[in-house]
Amino acid sequence: MSQSLTLARPYARAAFGLARDAGALPQWSDALAFASRLAADPRVASLLGHPALARTEAVALLSPDGASETFGDFLALLADNRRLAQLPEISGLYEELRAEAEGVVLATVTSASALPDAELDSIKAALRKRFGRDVHLDTAVDENLIGGAVIAAGDVVIDGSLRGKLARLQSALTH
């Protein structure tokens, strides 16, 4: 995974620069999200790696309706360099760069069950206070957490899950 991120990073920076210069950060977010969802699909991924797939066909397949010519050129560059498989990583890194430029913290709340909106609003307010920036929350459910939640925001991870607490207790008892 880290090698894939290393390969994706310069392309994400290039995409961000192109989008910023064009004043089209949201449009590029949407286009990259569309292309990365397709590229992550196993059926499409096997097609993208096929040597008989022409660059123009790959670009047509991965470009959403209404995408800019510059976005198509970007996809063509990825195709030429055999980097279409890195589209999910490129999209994720692009979103991090966009969030940083817009002064937003991207956070993910993973809980054992779906959290009510009031609780999510409370978490968002606490993160906004901690980081001093606007917060965009994504949510996920992982029943293996047993209870509680894990909040990941940038480099900060707050593990308030029951599974995490049990692991810490086990570690304390064995040392």
Side-chain angles (χ1 to χ4, degrees):
M1 176 77 166
S2 65
Q3 180 183 3
S4 190
L5 286 174
T6 300
L7 293 171
R9 190 166 285 112
Y11 294 102
R13 287 183 183 140
F16 178 77
L18 291 168
R20 183 190 57 223
D21 294 348
L25 291 175
Q27 293 85 352
W28 273 71
S29 284
D30 294 343
L32 281 169
F34 175 84
S36 70
R37 279 192 306 272
L38 281 177
D41 183 298
R43 296 170 295 178
V44 175
S46 65
L47 180 64
L48 292 176
H50 197 281
L53 181 70
R55 174 177 92 155
T56 55
E57 293 169 330
V59 170
L61 175 67
L62 295 172
S63 291
D65 291 338
S68 69
E69 184 179 331
T70 307
F71 184 76
D73 292 343
F74 177 74
L75 289 177
L77 175 72
L78 293 177
D80 289 345
N81 293 327
R82 302 184 188 277
R83 296 290 182 248
L84 290 172
Q86 270 77 43
L87 271 165
E89 290 83 5
I90 292 168
S91 180
L93 292 167
Y94 173 90
E95 290 304 323
E96 289 176 14
L97 292 167
R98 179 180 173 200
E100 182 66 31
E102 294 176 343
V104 174
V105 174
L106 300 176
T108 302
V109 178
T110 306
S111 57
S113 60
L115 296 174
D117 288 341
E119 199 163 335
L120 290 173
D121 290 341
S122 175
I123 291 169
K124 191 173 185 177
L127 290 173
R128 187 179 301 121
K129 182 177 178 183
R130 178 174 183 161
F131 291 107
R133 295 163 56 183
D134 193 21
V135 176
H136 288 201
L137 277 185
D138 283 330
T139 59
V141 174
D142 180 358
E143 295 173 357
N144 293 323
L145 293 179
I146 304 170
V150 176
I151 302 169
D155 294 337
V156 176
V157 176
I158 303 165
D159 187 350
S161 68
L162 191 51
R163 181 180 69 185
K165 289 177 184 178
L166 289 171
R168 288 189 294 278
L169 178 62
Q170 180 181 13
S171 177
L173 291 174
T174 58
H175 286 69

